[in-house]
């Protein structure tokens, strides 16, 4: 059940990340995948910084941070 919640949070984070980066998204499917990968990245970054955000909102914030970073990096590479 936790994996399903993690995927849902990743999808929402990918969508939010594409809105935050403003037009740098690559389409709905890619943004969802980026959000799921971004969830791992954001969680790792916050864990290394010793920032712990429990609950649904904390996971969503960490995932969105990772998604924004990943969308930004993809945008740099695609130039």
């Amino acid at each position: 059940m936790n994996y399903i919640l993690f995927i849902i949070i990743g999808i929402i984070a990918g969508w939010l990340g594409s809105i935050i980066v403003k037009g740098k998204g690559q389409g709905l499917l890619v943004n969802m995948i980026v959000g799921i990968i971004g969830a791992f990245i954001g969680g790792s970054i916050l864990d290394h910084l010793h920032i712990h955000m429990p609950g649904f909102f904390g996971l969503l914030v960490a995932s969105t941070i990772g998604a924004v970073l990943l969308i930004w990096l993809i945008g740099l590479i695609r130039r």
Side-chain angles (χ1 to χ4, degrees):
M1 185 67 174
N2 288 335
Y3 292 114
I4 294 170
L5 180 64
F6 198 68
I7 289 171
I8 291 170
I9 289 173
I11 290 169
I12 295 169
W15 174 70
L16 287 173
S18 67
I19 291 173
I20 292 170
V21 179
K22 296 190 185 200
K24 298 290 185 186
Q26 310 300 320
L28 181 62
L29 182 63
V30 174
N31 285 341
M32 287 190 283
I33 294 169
V34 164
I36 294 168
I37 296 169
F40 289 105
I41 294 170
S44 296
I45 290 171
L46 292 181
D47 189 42
H48 285 343
L49 295 174
H50 302 289
I51 298 172
H52 302 286
M53 303 172 72
F56 180 82
F57 182 73
L59 290 173
L60 186 60
V61 169
S63 299
T64 303
I65 290 170
V68 166
L69 289 172
L70 194 55
I71 291 171
W72 179 73
L73 285 173
I74 289 171
L76 285 177
I77 293 169
R78 293 190 83 203
R79 279 195 214 173

